[in-house]
Amino acid sequence: MALRSYYRFEAWVEDLPRLKFATAVGIVSLIGVLAASLIFQGVNTVHAVMMGVTTVIVYAAFDPR
């Protein structure tokens, strides 16, 4: 069941338009960096936001899919 849900989610993500996909990846990046900063206390909120924005720009510009 979990594997089937993963494949459905993957198919949904692959069908997203370029900008929505880039935004989703940027949000996940921002959340990941914030989580790492809570664990390691080496990164602050500004770095997390900048990582998210940079990821959105790179994914929207180069569309790695």
Side-chain angles (χ1 to χ4, degrees):
M1 171 143 170
L3 192 57
R4 185 176 18 179
S5 296
Y6 170 76
Y7 286 129
R8 283 184 23 213
F9 177 72
E10 183 180 22
W12 175 75
V13 168
E14 287 178 355
D15 289 338
L16 286 176
R18 175 188 235 175
L19 189 57
K20 285 186 179 182
F21 177 77
T23 304
V25 171
I27 290 170
V28 169
S29 174
L30 183 138
I31 291 170
V33 172
L34 279 176
S37 71
L38 290 174
I39 294 170
F40 299 114
Q41 297 181 2
V43 180
N44 60 21
T45 308
V46 174
H47 289 118
V49 170
M50 290 309 298
M51 180 62 103
V53 170
T54 303
T55 304
V56 169
I57 292 169
V58 169
Y59 269 67
F62 297 113
D63 196 16
R65 297 184 292 148

